[in-house]
Amino acid sequence: MKKALICGVSGQDGAYLAHLLLQKGYEVYGGSRDAQMSSFQNLTRLNIRSDISLVSVNINDFRSVLQTLLKIRPDEVYNLAGQSSVGLSFEQPVETLESISVGTLNLLEAIRFSELPIKLYNAGSSESFGDTGQLAADERTPFRPRSPYGVAKAAAFWQVANYREAYQLFASTGILFNHESPLRPERFVTRKIVAAACRIAQGSTEKLTLGNIDIARDWGWAPDYVEAMWLMLQQPEPDDFVIATGHTRKLKDFIRTVFERVDLNWEDHVQIDPSFFRPTDLAEGNANPAKAFWQFGWKAKHKMEEVAQMMVDAQLNGVFHPTAS
């Protein structure tokens, strides 16, 4: 039985990845800064909390990481930890850089020091590309990040590449574009939209206040994307891959789809507040995920319209399963 350690198991991706690995027969360890105090609500929602061995590990502390690796001796480590909000990164740039960049470096160095044959997956981000305009970013597109979050993810990407080349570690980065699910916290705009639309449909008279709704993103379904993470570590050689649907839509289109799902006209319920605009926001994000398809056959199963509809259905029905629809 393979062992996997998921750092950041309490988040959206960590929970869905844990669910997937359990289905594949793994012994799954879930890392959290304080496993005694964390609620692990997402694991409970997926009904898998009792199936996972929860461990306290602080990836900002090298000794904590090394001790955890030597104790568990995992075959695979998934680095999904760190501050995960682009918007919040402007308010907490130091915490963002430390939790993402220093955390990744500690994992790499601990794996090297342990001399265990551990395969590492690192969660990269399309935010590292910055604004590529109409260009569909792939693995050769230069990084020009425009947020503290993007800067931190770019730094972590190059750390992984450096350790792979210098020390022959099996370390791969998935450069993931936006991926959503009912497990997202409401501070993420997609869940904020879905939650508000469902409340309004049930009688609330509130207005949904948003920032720039003309931004465009490639939105996918998170359970599809965790499968790509797993597949990367099953390849004969480590490498980096863009993971996306290949289809870009405006936030306005996401809003429209959500409100149509509850039989409402979005324009009657949405107001724009310029104070919600970010200092440097990306106008558009386009992706070319062809390499993942050609190398290991991965392709996104759900595009934005389906993602929005599934999130609404899950919100109304209280269903969080990966195939919720």
Side-chain angles (χ1 to χ4, degrees):
M1 182 184 288
K2 278 187 176 181
K3 292 182 186 177
L5 169 64
I6 304 173
C7 298
V9 73
S10 59
Q12 165 190 266
D13 291 4
Y16 282 127
L17 177 62
H19 187 277
L20 176 73
L21 295 180
L22 287 169
Q23 287 184 320
K24 294 186 178 297
Y26 278 67
E27 185 177 348
V28 179
Y29 291 81
S32 176
R33 183 169 293 187
D34 189 345
Q36 303 300 318
M37 297 296 291
S38 298
S39 68
F40 298 106
Q41 187 178 26
N42 284 337
L43 302 182
T44 302
R45 286 168 168 170
L46 296 181
N47 199 30
I48 58 172
R49 180 171 175 173
S50 61
D51 300 321
I52 293 169
S53 301
L54 299 171
V55 296
S56 294
V57 55
N58 178 5
I59 66 168
N60 281 7
D61 180 347
F62 173 77
R63 182 181 295 179
S64 172
V65 175
L66 181 60
Q67 287 176 339
T68 302
L69 294 184
L70 292 175
K71 180 180 179 181
I72 296 173
R73 303 178 75 86
D75 299 286
E76 299 170 2
V77 172
Y78 294 85
N79 177 25
L80 311 180
Q83 202 286 100
S84 59
S85 166
V86 176
L88 189 59
S89 76
F90 286 99
E91 299 172 29
Q92 299 180 359
V94 176
E95 156 68 13
T96 299
L97 187 64
E98 287 181 349
S99 67
I100 293 171
S101 180
V102 176
T104 302
L105 184 57
N106 281 333
L107 280 167
L108 289 163
E109 186 64 5
I111 291 171
R112 183 182 77 86
F113 190 84
S114 73
E115 297 186 336
L116 294 170
I118 294 170
K119 294 183 176 181
L120 174 69
Y121 169 82
N122 176 56
S125 171
S126 60
E127 288 287 326
S128 297
F129 291 123
D131 206 331
T132 59
Q134 296 293 316
L135 175 69
D138 63 18
E139 296 77 8
R140 295 165 295 180
T141 304
F143 287 164
R144 293 188 179 89
R146 300 190 68 200
S147 67
Y149 176 83
V151 169
K153 285 292 186 180
F157 173 91
W158 289 117
Q159 288 166 348
V160 169
N162 179 244
Y163 270 71
R164 185 168 62 218
E165 294 168 8
Y167 305 115
Q168 288 72 57
L169 294 192
F170 193 112
S172 298
T173 295
I175 309 171
L176 273 59
F177 277 67
N178 296 61
H179 48 292
E180 312 300 328
S181 80
L183 296 187
R184 274 281 196 225
E186 277 193 42
R187 71 172 182 270
F188 286 83
V189 68
T190 50
R191 272 277 286 124
K192 177 181 177 180
I193 292 163
V194 169
C198 291
R199 288 194 301 268
I200 293 167
Q202 291 168 338
S204 171
T205 58
E206 70 190 270
K207 286 284 188 179
L208 171 59
T209 305
L210 298 169
N212 185 1
I213 64 172
D214 286 316
I215 59 165
R217 297 287 185 270
D218 184 316
W219 276 291
W221 182 237
D224 289 351
Y225 287 42
V226 299
E227 183 180 15
M229 298 175 189
W230 174 77
L231 284 167
M232 283 182 216
L233 297 195
Q234 314 315 308
Q235 302 312 301
E237 300 293 334
D239 204 350
D240 306 317
F241 297 91
V242 165
I243 302 299
T245 70
H247 297 268
T248 294
R249 298 287 186 271
K250 285 192 174 186
L251 182 59
K252 190 184 295 183
D253 298 322
F254 185 94
I255 298 165
R256 181 185 299 112
T257 304
V258 166
F259 275 85
E260 284 177 352
R261 191 68 168 181
V262 291
D263 298 318
L264 293 172
N265 177 7
W266 70 273
E267 292 176 301
D268 295 334
H269 306 283
V270 174
Q271 61 187 15
I272 306 302
D273 183 347
S275 71
F276 281 37
F277 285 45
R278 292 174 184 161
T280 49
D281 212 345
L282 310 185
E284 193 168 340
N286 293 279
N288 176 9
K291 181 179 173 182
F293 178 73
W294 291 114
Q295 192 137 333
F296 49 82
W298 183 87
K299 190 175 184 180
K301 299 181 182 75
H302 305 92
K303 297 185 178 69
M304 182 278 283
E305 290 78 7
E306 290 175 274
V307 171
Q309 291 166 359
M310 289 193 292
M311 287 178 70
V312 170
D313 295 349
Q315 180 84 21
L316 294 173
N317 301 324
V319 177
F320 301 95
H321 193 271
T323 55
S325 60

